[in-house]
Amino acid sequence: MKRKSENATLLKEWSMRVLPQFIALLFLAVLVQLTGCAGRPLHISSTTSILTSGQNLTKGLKVQTNKFGLQDDIVFFVYVKWDEPTQKFGAHNVTFSWYKDDMLVSTTTKPIIFNTTPTEIWSKRAASALGAGHYKVAIAVEGNVVGSTELDIK
């Protein structure tokens, strides 16, 4: 009976020492998994970009164009990749900036979670909200421009 009592005491002491360390290690592993690669230096680039109209998208088409009418919706798709395709890249702020004759006229920033490479990200603007003229749209991930294109609205 004494040996059983000693074993129970040893088990209790062991679990009081080891269990908190195990829980802390498990928490750290979950935290690393949830944050993905967000702490690593940014090595992301654009593979492809497509500028198309909303009308094309309603037909299931992503047809490249850079000429739009005031009635069109303009949709800019960018496909980005990063250095380690087997790793998640984590959450990053993505900013689309729309310029008319080199003057910023519209910007949108949204957090994107990069789980697979390549990742498709996009922005949409009504041509009527921008007005006629020559435009450039640029996409930046955490402030680093990874793609841009130019277009005309008539």
Side-chain angles (χ1 to χ4, degrees):
M1 186 74 171
K2 183 178 179 184
R3 184 175 172 110
K4 193 173 187 181
S5 175
E6 287 175 357
N7 284 344
T9 302
L10 284 174
L11 181 61
K12 184 177 179 183
E13 288 175 5
W14 180 81
S15 65
M16 288 177 63
R17 283 182 296 157
V18 174
L19 189 59
Q21 292 173 352
F22 175 76
I23 291 172
L25 187 58
L26 183 62
F27 176 76
L28 183 61
V30 168
L31 184 63
V32 167
Q33 180 66 28
L34 288 176
T35 58
C37 308
R40 283 194 249 168
L42 192 62
H43 298 288
I44 193 166
S45 60
S46 170
T47 60
T48 309
S49 63
I50 300 170
L51 190 62
T52 193
S53 70
Q55 184 179 11
N56 284 333
L57 289 179
T58 61
K59 297 175 187 174
L61 303 172
K62 287 185 183 172
V63 178
Q64 179 72 31
T65 186
N66 63 352
K67 306 254 187 251
F68 298 90
L70 286 170
Q71 76 285 357
D72 290 325
D73 285 327
I74 304 164
V75 187
F76 183 42
F77 290 92
V78 179
Y79 299 86
V80 295
K81 66 176 183 163
W82 49 93
D83 295 340
E84 297 179 35
T86 60
Q87 299 292 317
K88 294 179 180 180
F89 198 66
H92 295 279
N93 286 323
V94 176
T95 303
F96 282 88
S97 300
W98 297 75
Y99 300 89
K100 180 178 184 181
D101 300 323
D102 295 325
M103 177 183 244
L104 182 64
V105 294
S106 181
T107 186
T108 301
T109 299
K110 56 186 172 183
I112 300 286
I113 298 172
F114 295 89
N115 285 330
T116 59
T117 184
T119 294
E120 176 187 81
I121 47 184
W122 58 275
S123 181
K124 176 180 164 183
R125 291 290 180 279
S128 61
L130 295 171
H134 183 77
Y135 290 86
K136 175 182 172 183
V137 58
I139 178 177
V141 178
E142 296 294 351
N144 298 309
V145 175
V146 295
S148 68
T149 192
E150 296 187 16
L151 62 122
D152 291 300
I153 302 173
K154 300 211 183 239

